[in-house]
Amino acid sequence: MNSSSEKKNNLEQIVSLAKRRGFIFQSSELYGGINGFWDYGPLGSELKRNVREVWWRYIVHGREDIVGLDAAIIMNPKIWEASGHLGGFSDPMVDCKICKKRYRADQLCEEQGSQLIGDGKRWKMPENVSCSNCGSKDLTEPRSFNLMFKTFVGPVEDDSAVAYLRPETAQAIFAQFLNILPTSRKSVPFGVAQSGKSFRNEINPRNFTFRSREFEQMEIEFFIRPDEAVELICGKVTTLADNPDLEGEPQDDWGWEVWHRYWVEQRFAWFRTIGLPADSLVERVHSKNELAHYAKTCVDIEYAFPFGIQELEGIAARGNFDLTQHQKFSSRSMAVMDDKLRIAVSEMNDAAKEAFRQKTVANWVQDGKSEEEATAFCNLLFEGRYIPHVVEPSLGTDRLVLALICNAFDEEEITDAKGKKEVRTVLRFHPSVAPVKVAVFPLVKNRPELYDKARDVFKKLNRYWNCFWDESGAIGRRYRRQDEIGTPFCITVDFDTLEDDTVTVRMRDSMEQTRVPVSDLRDFLEEAMEL
RNA sequence: GCGGGUGUAGUUCAAUGGUAGAACACCAGCCUUCCAAGCUGGCCACGAGGGUUCGAUUCCCUUCACCCGCUCCA
């Protein structure tokens, strides 16, 4: 998509263009800014809105097995206890008082063959641990950073009123699972999608909007059957080793591994539809020790930002951890009834059930779980019920917007008719995300009949797309202004228009022009935008 | 959080212990028959606070923000 000129977008150039053209401003700039917060200007808000909308259309409207949710940002704090965000996820840190180096306390201890002392809230360093940089034992006490923003609900600021701004959108999906299930008339496998703000009090926001304290996510929780249920229903569980067809419709016999891979492929395919070329994206599989203890696997889709290759979206297989936690903390059963499972089980005799139970218990015990747990799970299955497992594709909206700007940014050297070289700055957005889709110009503005005709065309198109009107300056200048904000199509009304009712459509990327009858404009543009 | 760098107009960049300048952009007008044309006019800045000084955008201190490296990233 980009011209041959090697892409060394340094970030400052992007930041400058983003500001100059009204994409992204520093938050509160009037008062010196505030670290970790950014605002989207007139064009940025259009771009971001388009990204959200294209995602929603593709994920929620485009599929029959996903429904939407728009939950509150502030929720009952118990949710964060259940999810683990209040406790274990804040990493204890120590600093060396001598050389000022900072460590994750647990990692430093482990490195030196000892164990961090603590209960998940308060921590203490073991005696013999020293700074691995300078050897000093003069370390600070381990401090936990809880990255959730805290606030108070209601007029009284005491402990009972404490609440948190959500650090991810996903938990609301689990917390509302029991409401969504009956009202959506969906059954497993199905998913719930949510897009919205999240907040993390990052220790060190960095890299423009990439790591912000207030940010937006587009998350899906896709609920699937546990593999054991799949086996009972289908008599087998398809794994990646079976080489399943991931481009067709999802199949009942898919195990979690296939579902996870399917979602990775789905997400890659979607990125391509909004103009991120395959070769700009990198797939990174999390190593075992990066994984949260409950996660089965996690794949990041990364983009080559000017400041390095960094995560856009993570697709995690989280088992039934979250629903199980909420079941435990809320005392409400998160098990679903699965009719296909119920029917399959009703056809089994006792011997078959016992054989299945023994196999399952053996497998679970091998995985370090208790026999009791496994038996309870089997009993639930024999009733046709289970707690669904989940695959979670979680995308950073602001990160994607930034990636789209970086990807679109191009400085093209062109030679004009007189042989003079100049640089054309152009944002090569895919039309589906471009903030302005169409610009309309009168060739000159001091001829009323031309001007009025152009206004008519503008008003006609403005009903369908975000259009831009520009009458000032020479026509070439107006084209270039649109190039710089990434408008894919410019329409010029000229003197021929008055004769034959056709206009010039000028393409952003090629700068080519074609004449199109006004009556065909809508269809013509519609088609051109699909690319 | 540590180290380094930067902060002057919307952007990119000058200069200066005493009146802050340009280019581009933007706005208005004239002109303009397809790729940043021309003319006229206009708008807009020393990140914030304190100190030194007769006087500070300039020197000093503090602070805020951004960039780079480290660190961190449920």
Side-chain angles (χ1 to χ4, degrees):
Chain A
M1 199 140 181
N2 287 282
S3 73
S4 55
S5 59
E6 90 257 33
K7 263 186 86 178
K8 50 168 192 207
N9 343 338
N10 74 52
L11 187 56
E12 296 200 33
Q13 228 178 334
I14 304 272
V15 174
S16 160
L17 176 80
K19 179 173 187 188
R20 183 156 39 90
R21 286 300 177 181
F23 283 93
I24 300 172
F25 307 128
Q26 199 181 359
S27 166
S28 326
E29 197 196 59
L30 186 60
Y31 293 100
I34 177 166
N35 187 277
F37 299 88
W38 300 90
D39 293 346
Y40 289 84
L43 291 176
S45 51
E46 292 290 341
L47 173 61
K48 189 167 164 182
R49 225 181 127 255
N50 291 342
V51 167
R52 268 191 229 112
E53 249 179 49
V54 168
W55 180 83
W56 191 266
R57 270 208 301 277
Y58 188 88
I59 292 295
V60 181
H61 297 174
R63 301 181 62 109
E64 291 174 69
D65 57 359
I66 296 190
V67 294
L69 177 70
D70 188 346
I73 286 168
I74 294 178
M75 300 187 281
N76 189 309
K78 280 244 175 208
I79 285 178
W80 309 115
E81 253 179 76
S83 71
H85 287 84
L86 258 180
F89 285 129
S90 52
D91 301 317
M93 314 281 290
V94 287
D95 293 311
C96 171
K97 289 184 186 164
I98 307 303
C99 73
K100 308 285 185 199
K101 210 161 158 59
R102 165 174 289 184
Y103 302 94
R104 282 256 305 262
D106 52 332
Q107 287 177 352
L108 187 65
C109 293
E110 202 169 307
E111 225 171 75
Q112 301 185 13
S114 49
Q115 275 252 295
L116 184 64
I117 306 161
D119 60 4
K121 282 188 181 153
R122 295 269 164 74
W123 303 96
K124 210 170 151 42
M125 292 297 279
E127 298 255 315
N128 52 349
V129 174
S130 59
C131 172
S132 64
N133 183 46
C134 70
S136 159
K137 289 194 175 178
D138 196 2
L139 305 173
T140 62
E141 284 299 301
R143 288 165 297 168
S144 289
F145 289 92
N146 189 291
L147 298 188
M148 281 195 293
F149 279 99
K150 205 183 209 175
T151 188
F152 298 94
V153 173
V156 184
E157 298 199 355
D158 64 19
D159 286 353
S160 68
V162 167
Y164 302 91
L165 306 193
R166 67 182 177 202
E168 59 172 45
T169 58
Q171 285 305 319
I173 297 176
F174 298 120
Q176 289 291 11
F177 181 71
L178 295 179
N179 281 328
I180 295 168
L181 191 64
T183 51
S184 66
R185 302 181 56 223
K186 301 291 176 198
S187 55
V188 177
F190 80 107
V192 181
Q194 177 167 222
S195 148
K197 294 261 188 179
S198 292
F199 303 80
R200 294 179 194 180
N201 201 356
E202 296 286 350
I203 297 166
N204 190 3
R206 270 313 254 293
N207 295 328
F208 197 26
T209 57
F210 183 82
R211 174 165 295 115
S212 302
R213 292 189 162 123
E214 174 176 343
F215 58 100
E216 221 165 299
Q217 294 181 296
M218 299 190 287
E219 295 196 294
I220 305 165
E221 297 299 341
F222 197 86
F223 300 100
I224 57 172
R225 296 181 173 114
D227 279 6
E228 290 85 350
V230 172
E231 190 184 336
L232 288 175
I233 293 166
C234 301
K236 61 165 181 159
V237 178
T238 298
T239 66
L240 289 177
D242 299 317
N243 215 1
D245 171 23
L246 295 170
E247 283 168 25
E249 291 291 305
Q251 300 297 314
D252 271 345
D253 61 5
W254 283 4
W256 71 267
E257 197 189 36
V258 178
W259 271 110
H260 178 262
R261 191 67 231 169
Y262 165 80
W263 274 109
V264 173
E265 301 290 337
Q266 282 288 310
R267 302 308 303 140
F268 268 107
W270 182 72
F271 284 122
R272 285 194 291 274
T273 70
I274 59 166
L276 285 185
D279 62 10
S280 71
L281 298 170
V282 177
E283 176 179 340
R284 193 175 70 84
V285 180
H286 281 219
S287 62
K288 273 269 180 293
N289 56 14
E290 275 181 274
L291 287 176
H293 64 279
Y294 49 80
K296 291 178 163 159
T297 187
C298 185
V299 166
D300 283 350
I301 297 177
E302 303 186 319
Y303 175 78
F305 286 98
F307 44 82
I309 297 176
Q310 297 276 344
E311 177 188 354
L312 281 182
E313 175 155 10
I315 299 114
R318 294 170 67 90
N320 62 5
F321 173 78
D322 301 276
L323 285 180
T324 303
Q325 285 294 105
H326 287 295
Q327 173 168 298
K328 207 183 291 175
F329 278 75
S330 70
S331 309
R332 292 283 305 277
S333 170
M334 295 291 164
V336 301
M337 170 62 76
D338 185 325
D339 276 337
K340 282 189 184 166
L341 176 63
R342 188 174 52 80
I343 292 163
V345 168
S346 71
E347 287 163 1
M348 290 170 80
N349 60 29
D350 286 349
K353 284 183 184 171
E354 187 50 32
F356 180 85
R357 188 198 314 268
Q358 280 178 16
K359 190 175 83 179
T360 303
V361 168
N363 285 342
W364 279 43
V365 168
Q366 203 176 0
D367 280 353
K369 284 174 252 177
S370 75
E371 191 177 331
E372 229 174 12
E373 250 181 301
T375 305
F377 170 70
C378 288
N379 289 341
L380 201 57
L381 281 182
F382 294 152
E383 293 171 21
R385 302 199 302 146
Y386 51 80
I387 297 176
H389 286 225
V390 77
V391 174
E392 177 190 88
S394 168
L395 171 61
T397 311
D398 308 84
R399 291 178 175 189
L400 178 54
V401 168
L402 183 57
L404 288 170
I405 294 174
C406 292
N407 184 254
F409 182 76
D410 192 19
E411 287 181 318
E412 186 184 44
E413 194 172 82
I414 55 173
T415 311
D416 68 15
K418 294 171 198 133
K420 210 177 84 188
K421 282 188 174 167
E422 57 176 10
V423 172
R424 181 171 83 114
T425 301
V426 46
L427 290 181
R428 299 183 188 278
F429 288 125
H430 188 278
S432 63
V433 296
V436 177
K437 312 287 190 209
V438 183
V440 181
F441 316 138
L443 185 58
V444 293
K445 72 170 169 184
N446 56 359
R447 298 292 153 78
E449 66 281 17
L450 247 192
Y451 187 94
D452 292 345
K453 179 67 191 169
R455 286 300 297 176
D456 285 348
V457 171
F458 172 72
K459 281 180 185 155
K460 191 176 167 194
L461 298 176
N462 207 14
R463 298 214 295 268
Y464 306 107
W465 297 288
N466 188 30
C467 295
F468 194 92
W469 170 262
D470 194 354
E471 61 186 44
S472 80
I475 193 76
R477 173 186 295 274
R478 285 180 263 167
Y479 285 145
R480 296 302 172 79
R481 282 200 277 245
Q482 295 305 312
D483 289 342
E484 215 179 18
I485 66 169
T487 305
F489 308 104
C490 293
I491 290 172
T492 301
V493 170
D494 60 17
F495 291 94
D496 289 349
T497 311
L498 302 175
E499 305 292 317
D500 61 6
D501 213 37
T502 64
V503 292
T504 304
V505 179
R506 181 265 196 185
M507 316 292 173
R508 175 195 65 201
D509 293 337
S510 62
M511 297 198 287
E512 277 165 12
Q513 308 184 342
T514 35
R515 283 204 81 87
V516 177
V518 172
S519 56
D520 294 352
L521 260 182
R522 192 182 160 199
D523 287 345
F524 177 89
L525 291 170
E526 190 101 51
E527 202 170 308
M529 280 189 215
E530 276 170 20
L531 283 183

